[in-house]
Protein backbone atom coordinates (compact mmCIF):
# COMPACT_ATOMS: atom_id res chain seq x y z
CA UNK A 1 0.00 0.00 0.00
CA UNK A 2 1.40 3.35 -1.02
CA UNK A 3 1.23 6.24 1.43
CA UNK A 4 2.17 9.88 1.36
CA UNK A 5 5.38 10.24 3.41
CA UNK A 6 4.47 13.79 4.46
CA UNK A 7 1.39 12.42 6.25
CA UNK A 8 3.20 9.69 8.18
CA UNK A 9 4.53 11.22 11.39
CA UNK A 10 7.59 8.98 11.64
CA UNK A 11 9.13 10.00 8.30
CA UNK A 12 11.82 12.61 7.76
CA UNK A 13 9.59 14.25 5.14
CA UNK A 14 6.84 14.82 7.73
CA UNK A 15 9.24 16.12 10.37
CA UNK A 16 10.79 18.60 7.95
CA UNK A 17 7.41 19.71 6.54
CA UNK A 18 6.01 20.19 10.07
CA UNK A 19 9.04 22.24 11.18
CA UNK A 20 10.26 19.69 13.69
CA UNK A 21 13.67 19.27 12.06
CA UNK A 22 16.11 21.63 10.41
CA UNK A 23 15.47 22.01 6.67
CA UNK A 24 17.99 24.66 5.62
CA UNK A 25 21.47 24.11 7.00
CA UNK A 26 24.85 23.85 5.36
CA UNK A 27 25.79 20.79 7.41
CA UNK A 28 22.98 18.77 5.80
CA UNK A 29 24.68 18.95 2.41
CA UNK A 30 27.56 16.80 3.68
CA UNK A 31 25.23 13.82 4.11
CA UNK A 32 24.32 13.62 0.41
CA UNK A 33 25.69 10.70 -1.62
CA UNK A 34 28.41 11.30 -4.11
CA UNK A 35 28.78 8.64 -6.78
CA UNK A 36 32.07 9.80 -8.24
CA UNK A 37 34.80 7.30 -7.41
CA UNK A 38 37.90 8.78 -5.81
CA UNK A 39 41.29 7.12 -5.71
CA UNK A 40 42.42 6.21 -2.16
CA UNK A 41 44.61 8.81 -0.56
CA UNK A 42 45.66 8.44 3.06
CA UNK A 43 45.82 12.19 3.78
CA UNK A 44 42.47 12.78 2.09
CA UNK A 45 40.87 10.05 4.22
CA UNK A 46 42.32 11.47 7.45
CA UNK A 47 41.12 14.99 6.68
CA UNK A 48 37.71 13.65 5.60
CA UNK A 49 37.26 11.76 8.85
CA UNK A 50 38.24 14.83 10.89
CA UNK A 51 35.85 16.96 8.83
CA UNK A 52 33.02 14.44 9.34
CA UNK A 53 33.52 14.53 13.10
CA UNK A 54 33.60 18.32 13.15
CA UNK A 55 30.48 18.55 10.95
CA UNK A 56 28.60 16.17 13.26
CA UNK A 57 29.54 18.32 16.29
CA UNK A 58 28.34 21.48 14.53
CA UNK A 59 25.12 19.79 13.44
CA UNK A 60 24.43 18.50 16.97
CA UNK A 61 24.95 21.99 18.42
CA UNK A 62 22.68 23.56 15.80
CA UNK A 63 20.01 20.92 16.35
CA UNK A 64 20.14 21.60 20.11
CA UNK A 65 19.66 25.33 19.51
CA UNK A 66 16.87 24.64 17.01
CA UNK A 67 15.09 22.40 19.54
CA UNK A 68 15.45 24.96 22.34
CA UNK A 69 14.02 27.69 20.13
CA UNK A 70 11.16 25.42 19.09
CA UNK A 71 10.34 24.54 22.71
CA UNK A 72 10.83 28.07 24.07
CA UNK A 73 7.12 28.94 24.45
CA UNK A 74 6.04 25.62 25.95
CA UNK A 75 6.41 26.61 29.61
CA UNK A 76 4.24 29.70 29.25
CA UNK A 77 1.73 27.81 27.12
CA UNK A 78 1.51 24.97 29.63
CA UNK A 79 1.19 27.43 32.51
CA UNK A 80 -1.68 29.18 30.71
CA UNK A 81 -3.41 25.85 30.10
CA UNK A 82 -2.99 24.91 33.77
CA UNK A 83 -4.47 28.24 34.88
CA UNK A 84 -7.38 27.79 32.49
CA UNK A 85 -8.01 24.28 33.82
CA UNK A 86 -8.00 25.50 37.42
CA UNK A 87 -10.31 28.39 36.57
CA UNK A 88 -12.81 26.12 34.81
CA UNK A 89 -12.80 23.47 37.55
CA UNK A 90 -12.64 25.72 40.60
CA UNK A 91 -15.65 23.94 42.11
CA UNK A 92 -13.68 20.67 42.33
CA UNK A 93 -10.86 22.14 44.39
CA UNK A 94 -11.06 22.05 48.20
CA UNK A 95 -12.09 25.27 49.90
CA UNK A 96 -9.28 27.23 51.53
CA UNK A 97 -9.30 27.33 55.29
CA UNK A 98 -9.84 30.62 57.06
CA UNK A 99 -6.23 30.80 58.31
CA UNK A 100 -4.81 30.42 54.84
CA UNK A 101 -7.24 32.90 53.32
CA UNK A 102 -6.45 35.44 56.04
CA UNK A 103 -2.73 34.92 55.49
CA UNK A 104 -3.22 35.24 51.75
CA UNK A 105 -5.17 38.48 52.17
CA UNK A 106 -2.46 39.78 54.50
CA UNK A 107 0.22 39.02 51.91
CA UNK A 108 -1.88 40.62 49.17
CA UNK A 109 -2.52 43.67 51.33
CA UNK A 110 1.06 44.37 52.21
CA UNK A 111 3.50 45.16 49.47
CA UNK A 112 5.89 42.35 48.72
CA UNK A 113 8.88 44.10 50.20
CA UNK A 114 11.89 41.73 50.51
CA UNK A 115 13.04 43.29 53.79
CA UNK A 116 9.66 42.81 55.47
CA UNK A 117 9.44 39.22 54.18
CA UNK A 118 12.85 38.40 55.65
CA UNK A 119 11.92 39.98 58.98
CA UNK A 120 8.60 38.09 59.14
CA UNK A 121 10.31 34.76 58.43
CA UNK A 122 12.88 35.47 61.17
CA UNK A 123 10.07 36.20 63.63
CA UNK A 124 8.31 32.96 62.67
CA UNK A 125 11.50 30.97 63.23
CA UNK A 126 11.75 32.22 66.80
CA UNK A 127 8.17 31.18 67.51
CA UNK A 128 8.57 27.58 66.32
CA UNK A 129 7.67 24.89 68.80
CA UNK A 130 9.87 21.82 69.22
CA UNK A 131 8.84 19.14 66.78
CA UNK A 132 7.92 15.67 67.94
CA UNK A 133 7.25 12.71 65.72
CA UNK A 134 5.66 9.39 66.40
CA UNK A 135 7.84 6.58 65.16
CA UNK A 136 6.18 3.22 64.94
CA UNK A 137 7.90 -0.10 64.47
CA UNK A 138 6.31 -3.39 63.55
CA UNK A 139 7.88 -6.70 64.37
CA UNK A 140 6.73 -10.00 63.01
CA UNK A 141 6.76 -12.59 65.75
CA UNK A 142 7.81 -16.20 65.21
CA UNK A 143 4.42 -17.51 66.33
CA UNK A 144 2.66 -15.55 63.58
CA UNK A 145 1.70 -12.25 65.15
CA UNK A 146 2.65 -8.61 64.80
CA UNK A 147 3.99 -6.46 67.63
CA UNK A 148 3.83 -2.68 67.29
CA UNK A 149 6.01 -0.22 69.21
CA UNK A 150 5.48 3.53 69.20
CA UNK A 151 8.27 5.94 70.16
CA UNK A 152 8.15 9.72 70.42
CA UNK A 153 11.15 11.39 68.80
CA UNK A 154 12.08 15.00 69.54
CA UNK A 155 13.44 16.86 66.53
CA UNK A 156 14.34 19.95 68.56
CA UNK A 157 17.76 21.22 67.51
CA UNK A 158 18.11 23.59 70.48
CA UNK A 159 18.35 20.86 73.13
CA UNK A 160 21.79 19.43 73.59
CA UNK A 161 21.58 16.72 76.22
CA UNK A 162 25.23 15.78 75.97
CA UNK A 163 25.79 16.69 79.65
CA UNK A 164 24.69 13.21 80.81
CA UNK A 165 28.22 11.89 80.46
CA UNK A 166 29.53 14.20 83.18
CA UNK A 167 27.22 12.78 85.88
CA UNK A 168 28.55 9.25 85.62
CA UNK A 169 31.49 8.43 87.89
CA UNK A 170 33.36 5.17 87.75
CA UNK A 171 35.37 3.56 90.52
CA UNK A 172 38.33 1.56 89.36
CA UNK A 173 39.38 -0.55 92.37
Amino acid sequence: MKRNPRKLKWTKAFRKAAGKEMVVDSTLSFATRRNAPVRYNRNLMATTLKAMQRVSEIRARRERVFYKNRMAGNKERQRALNRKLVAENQHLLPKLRSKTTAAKQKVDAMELDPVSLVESTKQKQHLKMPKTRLKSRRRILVGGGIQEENDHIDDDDDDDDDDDDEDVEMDSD
Side-chain angles (χ1 to χ4, degrees):
M1 176 195 301
K2 291 185 178 179
R3 293 188 178 162
N4 188 349
R6 284 171 295 184
K7 292 184 180 178
L8 297 173
K9 292 190 174 187
W10 55 270
T11 61
K12 285 281 195 180
F14 171 83
R15 294 188 61 79
K16 287 181 179 178
K20 296 185 181 295
E21 283 192 13
M22 294 188 303
V23 179
V24 180
D25 192 26
S26 61
T27 59
L28 298 174
S29 65
F30 288 105
T32 58
R33 283 187 76 147
R34 291 170 185 83
N35 294 326
V38 178
R39 188 170 179 198
Y40 177 75
N41 184 354
R42 184 181 217 163
N43 295 332
L44 178 65
M45 281 298 223
T47 55
T48 304
L49 290 174
K50 286 181 185 176
M52 286 171 58
Q53 187 176 14
R54 180 72 179 134
V55 166
S56 65
E57 290 172 4
I58 292 169
R59 183 184 300 154
R61 186 176 42 213
R62 287 182 183 173
E63 285 176 353
R64 239 188 344 264
V65 170
F66 179 80
Y67 180 80
K68 282 185 182 180
N69 289 339
R70 197 165 63 88
M71 297 294 157
N74 280 359
K75 277 190 180 176
E76 291 83 20
R77 198 175 307 126
Q78 187 63 38
R79 216 173 263 144
L81 286 172
N82 290 344
R83 285 191 180 120
K84 180 182 175 188
L85 181 70
V86 168
E88 288 175 352
N89 301 311
Q90 191 71 35
H91 63 282
L92 297 175
L93 295 174
K95 304 271 185 199
L96 292 175
R97 292 181 286 162
S98 61
K99 282 185 177 181
T100 56
T101 54
K104 187 176 179 183
Q105 289 173 353
K106 183 179 177 183
V107 168
D108 290 340
M110 72 177 216
E111 295 178 1
L112 294 177
D113 185 26
V115 175
S116 62
L117 288 175
V118 170
E119 290 175 359
S120 64
T121 54
K122 285 182 181 177
Q123 290 173 356
K124 287 180 185 178
Q125 288 175 351
H126 291 296
L127 299 176
K128 284 187 179 177
M129 299 296 289
K131 297 178 185 177
T132 59
R133 290 187 289 155
L134 181 66
K135 184 175 182 180
S136 61
R137 293 181 183 169
R138 290 184 182 171
R139 293 184 182 177
I140 299 175
L141 301 175
V142 177
I146 296 176
Q147 178 184 1
E148 292 190 19
E149 298 177 7
N150 294 329
D151 296 331
H152 289 283
I153 300 172
D154 292 331
D155 288 342
D156 191 13
D157 294 336
D158 295 337
D159 285 334
D160 289 325
D161 294 333
D162 297 336
D163 299 335
D164 296 339
D165 297 336
E166 297 173 3
D167 297 340
V168 177
E169 294 181 14
M170 298 181 100
D171 293 332
S172 59
D173 286 301

